[in-house]
Amino acid sequence: MIDTLNWWQDCIRDVPDFPKPGIVFKDITPLLANGEAFSAVVSELACHVGSDVDAIVGIESRGFIFGAALAQQLGLGLVTVRKPGKLPANVHSVEYELEYGMDRLEIHRDALSAGHKVVVVDDLLATGGTAAATVQLVRKLGAEVDACLFVIELSFLNGKEALADVNVHSLLCYE
Ligand code: AMP
């Protein structure tokens, strides 16, 4: 497994000072471009989805890539959580804090309902604000979050604390 993790890490490129000075951006595009590695990552994510899960929830935008592939592999539907103004029908919104200022995420009101169990997917867990807002949106619809899955976790940003009441699993952890 260590070899596999090293292989995946080698497929993720660090881009310093993007999108602003001081941020080291974890660029997953080399991983996506490597068919074998991309497929192996999605299969590993699939191992963490219980058989009683009804849908995958993908977070805009890189969460859509892994979420869609995962949903397809498992024969599940994909629910999209999007930035404001992108979803065409009636939505629920949740505001969340960024380092500077606020942002908002939205979900279609009819995307899920009480009794549904979902797994939330994104490429990367940093401070956890984005994923925590997504968990809130799912719960607003009465559905249950079984787990949040990430390809990458930046554990020094303590994102798991924002997701304290949720199962969290990440494939690659940067300390
Ligand atoms: P956060 O809400 O702080 O957990 O941020 C997570 C979201 O921001 C995810 O959707 C990531 O795609 C993106 N993100 C945050 N930090 C980085 C980073 N260093 N490299 C790549 N994406 C990031």
Side-chain angles (χ1 to χ4, degrees):
M1 189 68 194
I2 291 203
D3 283 352
T4 307
L5 296 179
N6 287 337
W7 172 41
W8 292 341
Q9 265 181 3
D10 288 345
C11 296
I12 292 164
R13 172 168 53 194
D14 280 359
V15 182
D17 300 320
F18 183 89
K20 54 186 181 185
I23 305 280
V24 179
F25 192 85
K26 297 288 181 192
D27 176 19
I28 53 150
T29 61
L31 174 73
L32 300 177
N34 181 329
E36 216 183 322
F38 183 27
S39 168
V41 160
V42 173
S43 294
E44 182 60 27
L45 290 173
C47 294
H48 299 278
V49 181
S51 56
D52 57 346
V53 166
D54 302 293
I56 302 297
V57 174
I59 306 177
E60 185 165 359
S61 61
R62 288 177 293 276
F64 292 172
I65 299 170
F66 293 102
L70 181 62
Q72 219 275 332
Q73 180 168 124
L74 295 169
L76 295 175
L78 176 73
V79 171
T80 57
V81 164
R82 301 211 60 182
K83 293 178 180 156
K86 300 285 185 185
L87 289 171
N90 285 336
V91 295
H92 277 304
S93 297
V94 163
E95 280 210 328
Y96 64 103
E97 237 174 292
L98 295 175
E99 199 180 346
Y100 302 104
M102 302 293 285
D103 212 341
R104 197 152 48 96
L105 285 174
E106 297 182 341
I107 196 168
H108 271 147
R109 284 179 183 234
D110 61 358
L112 295 165
S113 46
H116 282 137
K117 195 185 258 200
V118 307
V119 162
V120 172
V121 178
D122 203 359
D123 65 328
L124 184 141
L125 174 64
T127 66
T130 309
T134 301
V135 169
Q136 272 190 61
L137 284 172
V138 169
R139 289 178 177 163
K140 269 193 182 202
L141 300 180
E144 181 190 339
V145 176
D146 192 47
C148 288
L149 302 182
F150 304 92
V151 178
I152 302 163
E153 176 182 347
L154 305 181
S155 63
F156 53 90
L157 293 174
N158 301 318
K160 274 187 175 156
E161 282 176 19
L163 296 169
D165 59 347
V166 186
N167 292 318
V168 176
H169 189 81
S170 36
L171 305 190
L172 297 171
C173 191
Y174 293 81
E175 296 178 349

